[in-house]
Amino acid sequence: MSAKPSVFVVVSRKAITVFSTSFRSRKVPRSILTQFPGMTVLGPVDTASTPHFTAAGITYEIDEEYVAVVNAGDAEITSPQDFPRDPLPNL
């Protein structure tokens, strides 16, 4: 069992931030565990058993519903030419 019961991964254009939670409340971030540059690729997501990815030597398990989100974020970084231009880039 991990010393950190749960984490939140927050992705912005500038950074990817991993927040830890407490044992009492897994819904409220308590501290920042690590930060990565915004252009960091999180995948590939291994779906052979419980979906997970490894970043900076740490393995993060994710719910199946978020596998597509991680894959889409990675695709936006690795092949931006495959996406349509943002119609409202200033928002």
Side-chain angles (χ1 to χ4, degrees):
M1 181 172 163
S2 172
K4 301 292 181 193
S6 185
V7 297
F8 289 104
V9 179
V10 178
V11 179
S12 70
R13 291 180 193 262
K14 293 182 180 181
I16 298 172
T17 306
V18 180
F19 292 92
S20 68
T21 63
S22 69
F23 285 104
R24 286 189 237 167
S25 175
R26 296 178 61 176
K27 296 180 181 180
V28 179
R30 301 237 343 151
S31 63
I32 295 175
L33 287 178
T34 190
Q35 276 190 314
F36 303 106
M39 298 303 287
T40 301
V41 175
L42 295 178
V45 177
D46 184 355
T47 58
S49 58
T50 302
H52 65 275
F53 63 89
T54 302
I58 300 171
T59 300
Y60 297 95
E61 292 183 0
I62 60 173
D63 293 331
E64 287 184 24
E65 64 188 293
Y66 297 113
V67 171
V69 176
V70 172
N71 289 338
D74 289 349
E76 188 174 353
I77 293 169
T78 59
S79 56
Q81 70 280 2
D82 294 338
F83 285 85
R85 290 187 331 150
D86 186 352
L88 303 169
N90 296 327
L91 292 181

